[in-house]
Amino acid sequence: MLGETGSGKTTRKHGIFHLYHPHIHPPLSEVPQYILESGLAKNGVIAVTQPRRVAATSLAHRVASEQNTSVGDVVGYAVRFDEKHTTGTRIKYLTDGMIVRELMTDPLLSGYSVIIVDEAHERTLRTDLLIANLKSIQKQRNPPPDAKGKGNAEGVNPLKIVIMSATLDAEKFSKFFHK
């Protein structure tokens, strides 16, 4: 998902969501809330990764305010040495390092239905590790359909991945995930 810096990739402004069009920059900050409201996440958590802790905490506060809730309820965050989320949290902002750390205890990130890698153009080693792991996890959690065209026979929670950036080459990411 592409959009200019400040276009609203990570929060929400007016409740309107536009899909990507090459000549229209969508308010991408609405994406996590749109996914929540649309039911695409089902009962899982929507993770939104950020390269810096300040971004993760301030976005959680902003989106919680827009959702008319306290941080730690529907919207939470997890950064090094500071976490505010509960079992009822549905949108969780976290640093790339925190979600990589979660991979150690939950290699399939089974609590998440959607993982949004925000600011993907600000790539670090952790971001690269996360994206490589997400490709593998998605293959395991999203099994191909059987001969009758029915998928997910194992009852595994399928994983949806959204890569967001102001400047990345979307075609390269698409090819990577579809190889």
Side-chain angles (χ1 to χ4, degrees), residues 14-70:
H14 304 291
I16 300 169
F17 179 77
H18 303 278
L19 296 177
Y20 175 74
H21 183 276
H23 303 294
I24 300 171
H25 295 289
L28 298 177
S29 62
E30 298 179 2
V31 173
Q33 294 178 80
Y34 171 77
I35 291 170
L36 178 65
E37 291 170 6
S38 71
L40 290 172
K42 299 192 178 167
N43 293 326
V45 176
I46 301 162
V48 185
T49 70
Q50 294 293 321
R52 291 171 300 283
R53 64 184 287 130
V54 172
T57 56
S58 63
L59 287 166
H61 283 277
R62 178 176 167 186
V63 174
S65 173
E66 291 174 2
Q67 289 283 317
N68 295 318
T69 186
S70 300

Side-chain angles (χ1 to χ4, degrees), residues 14-143:
H14 304 291
I16 300 169
F17 179 77
H18 303 278
L19 296 177
Y20 175 74
H21 183 276
H23 303 294
I24 300 171
H25 295 289
L28 298 177
S29 62
E30 298 179 2
V31 173
Q33 294 178 80
Y34 171 77
I35 291 170
L36 178 65
E37 291 170 6
S38 71
L40 290 172
K42 299 192 178 167
N43 293 326
V45 176
I46 301 162
V48 185
T49 70
Q50 294 293 321
R52 291 171 300 283
R53 64 184 287 130
V54 172
T57 56
S58 63
L59 287 166
H61 283 277
R62 178 176 167 186
V63 174
S65 173
E66 291 174 2
Q67 289 283 317
N68 295 318
T69 186
S70 300
V71 173
D73 293 336
V74 174
V75 181
Y77 68 84
V79 297
R80 191 172 180 197
F81 305 123
D82 188 14
E83 296 186 31
K84 285 191 180 178
H85 57 89
T86 64
T87 56
T89 298
R90 300 298 314 284
I91 299 174
K92 184 176 171 185
Y93 289 87
L94 40 119
T95 58
D96 297 343
M98 289 300 288
I99 198 162
V100 169
R101 174 182 268 171
E102 287 187 26
L103 280 166
M104 292 190 279
T105 57
D106 182 6
L108 292 179
L109 297 172
S110 56
Y112 298 102
S113 293
V114 179
I115 297 179
I116 300 171
V117 180
D118 196 5
E119 305 292 352
H121 60 279
E122 294 187 26
R123 292 175 51 193
T124 64
L125 179 59
R126 286 188 186 110
T127 309
D128 288 348
L129 284 170
L130 175 61
I131 290 171
N133 277 287
L134 288 176
K135 180 178 179 177
S136 173
I137 292 166
Q138 190 174 44
K139 285 182 180 179
Q140 293 175 62
R141 288 181 48 185
N142 301 14

